[in-house]
Amino acid sequence: LVYNRTTRHSTNSPGVEVRVPGFGETYSIEFLDYNKLAGYFYTMVQHLVNIGYVRNETVRGAPYDWRLAPNENEAYFIKMQDMVEEMYNQYQKPVYLLGHSMGCHYVLYFLNHQPQAWKDKYIRGFISLGAPWGGAVKVLRVLASGENDGIPMISNIKIREEQRMMTTNPWLLPAEDVWPEDHVFISTPAFNYTHRDYKRFFTDISFEDGWHMWEDTKNLTSALHPPGVEVWCMYGVGLPTPVTHIYDEEFPDGDPVDFVYADGDDTLDSLSMGLCKRWVGQQEKPVHVTEYRGLAHLDMVFHEKVLNQMQQILEGKSDVPKEVDVRLDVK
């Protein structure tokens, strides 16, 4: 993407067109490649099919250009609204929305921009899996030195160029009103960066555009206005998760040399994911929270206990346990 500081808007590189395939269908969210090597929602969709749902009819996908924060994806939300209304009109039943990770912020943004009467008619509930409600500490590492997510063919520094072009990374910086003012996210020999130091952080990593991207996006969902529909908020806990990245003098062009850990799902900390508890009492519709002890961030979308819980919700059994221990499955 190319970010324009004057228009505060991103565009594709000149001569490049990017399309998101399969809106309304499930194939592009079930697997991330045509060879079906990188599975994502496949296990979940298949679980739903096994209990009577039909691909592309009663279970549908809403893939989006995840490079762009919601303020730059207006056409997507129109398609989303049209799809929900179309499904409601076809089946005469309100729709459940389900998101994973950043997708939950997209769902929240969508619901926050719908009238309550529309939500009361068309939306049965919102199932949120592993949402970074208070932002993601990992984003600071991604922006500083890059993060290849364990793909050995790509160096962190090389992928950093691409990661810095996406407005979704600054959007998901840890929220200012969630973290203590003295919490250090990035520690270097020269300076310790808290959320009060974002401007200096972007200057020091030679990425001033990031500051403007953050200013454009920081208020899109950070206030966590309640969605106004029944919510099932699920996330993993009990796994060490980095909340401080420690660098040596190679910062920002070398990887972190150490970490400080807190509780979480190995990617997001439980402080951020647990903020959905705030909605209890803030909206008329119920808010249910389940913590899955020992469940990693990506495993959330295909773990048997999560899928069974989701099935019960869809069958109308609203009440859910406050905690599920997935470690008990280990033989």
Side-chain angles (χ1 to χ4, degrees):
L1 285 169
V2 179
Y3 178 74
N4 185 316
R5 279 193 209 179
T6 307
T7 63
R8 319 291 283 202
H9 214 73
S10 307
T11 53
N12 288 313
S13 300
V16 174
E17 184 185 353
V18 175
R19 297 181 300 278
V20 179
F23 186 86
E25 300 177 59
T26 62
Y27 74 90
S28 69
I29 63 167
E30 289 192 61
F31 293 94
L32 304 184
D33 65 304
Y34 285 113
N35 296 320
K36 299 187 176 180
L37 298 174
Y40 189 23
F41 278 105
Y42 167 73
T43 306
M44 180 183 293
V45 172
Q46 190 57 49
H47 183 96
L48 291 169
V49 169
N50 292 346
I51 61 171
Y53 284 76
V54 180
R55 277 182 174 87
N56 311 329
E57 292 183 22
T58 48
V59 53
R60 302 182 69 177
Y64 61 102
D65 187 340
W66 41 261
R67 302 172 304 163
L68 298 168
N71 59 317
E72 297 194 287
N73 242 343
E74 298 91 346
Y76 171 77
F77 294 105
I78 294 169
K79 286 183 358 187
M80 183 101 139
Q81 181 179 338
D82 288 347
M83 181 168 71
V84 168
E85 292 177 5
E86 177 192 322
M87 291 179 76
Y88 174 90
N89 291 332
Q90 185 167 356
Y91 300 104
Q92 292 300 302
K93 284 183 179 178
V95 174
Y96 287 89
L97 301 176
L98 180 141
H100 175 240
S101 200
M102 185 173 78
C104 300
H105 272 282
Y106 252 82
V107 175
L108 179 63
Y109 183 89
F110 173 72
L111 291 171
N112 284 163
H113 285 77
Q114 300 296 339
Q116 189 61 47
W118 186 90
K119 292 184 279 198
D120 290 345
K121 178 176 180 179
Y122 291 108
I123 304 297
R124 173 61 187 88
F126 170 25
I127 300 171
S128 129
L129 305 177
W133 293 126
V137 177
K138 180 181 178 179
V139 163
L140 287 128
R141 174 185 177 177
V142 167
L143 292 169
S145 55
E147 164 64 274
N148 67 5
D149 282 317
I151 304 169
M153 296 90 77
I154 309 169
S155 74
N156 290 334
I157 290 298
K158 187 65 187 166
I159 203 168
R160 178 179 72 177
E161 299 170 40
E162 174 260 332
Q163 289 170 325
R164 286 186 177 184
M165 295 174 187
M166 303 188 294
T167 53
T168 40
N169 278 325
W171 174 43
L172 289 184
L173 280 171
E176 297 171 288
D177 64 340
V178 171
W179 291 86
E181 288 202 349
D182 58 354
H183 180 86
V184 175
F185 295 112
I186 299 272
S187 177
T188 76
F191 196 76
N192 288 330
Y193 300 88
T194 69
H195 64 66
R196 292 175 296 181
D197 307 305
Y198 284 163
K199 188 162 192 176
R200 173 166 178 171
F201 170 74
F202 283 117
T203 302
D204 290 352
I205 65 172
S206 304
F207 179 47
E208 281 85 357
D209 277 354
W211 167 254
H212 298 285
M213 292 177 181
W214 180 68
E215 292 230 290
D216 295 345
T217 57
K218 65 180 180 180
N219 294 324
L220 294 178
T221 48
S222 62
L224 293 184
H225 296 299
V229 301
E230 189 164 2
V231 176
W232 290 267
C233 180
M234 311 182 199
Y235 54 92
V237 297
L239 298 175
T241 303
V243 290
T244 302
H245 297 91
I246 301 169
Y247 287 83
D248 60 18
E249 55 283 342
E250 286 188 31
F251 174 83
D253 297 326
D255 294 334
V257 293
D258 205 355
F259 305 92
V260 176
Y261 295 91
D263 184 75
D265 68 1
D266 82 7
T267 300
L268 301 172
D269 60 275
S270 48
L271 170 71
S272 175
M273 294 185 290
L275 290 173
C276 52
K277 293 172 184 172
R278 284 186 180 180
W279 295 332
V280 177
Q282 285 189 359
Q283 61 172 35
E284 288 183 20
K285 300 280 171 62
V287 177
H288 315 270
V289 179
T290 304
E291 297 183 339
Y292 286 81
R293 186 152 298 278
L295 187 58
H297 185 69
L298 267 175
D299 295 349
M300 194 96 222
V301 293
F302 38 73
H303 195 281
E304 184 184 7
K305 290 197 172 181
V306 177
L307 300 184
N308 289 338
Q309 188 70 70
M310 180 185 70
Q311 179 180 338
Q312 291 199 332
I313 293 166
L314 298 178
E315 289 170 352
K317 299 166 188 161
S318 281
D319 287 335
V320 293
K322 287 191 164 50
E323 181 168 317
V324 175
D325 196 334
V326 303
R327 300 169 305 174
L328 301 177
D329 296 340
V330 179
K331 297 287 191 288

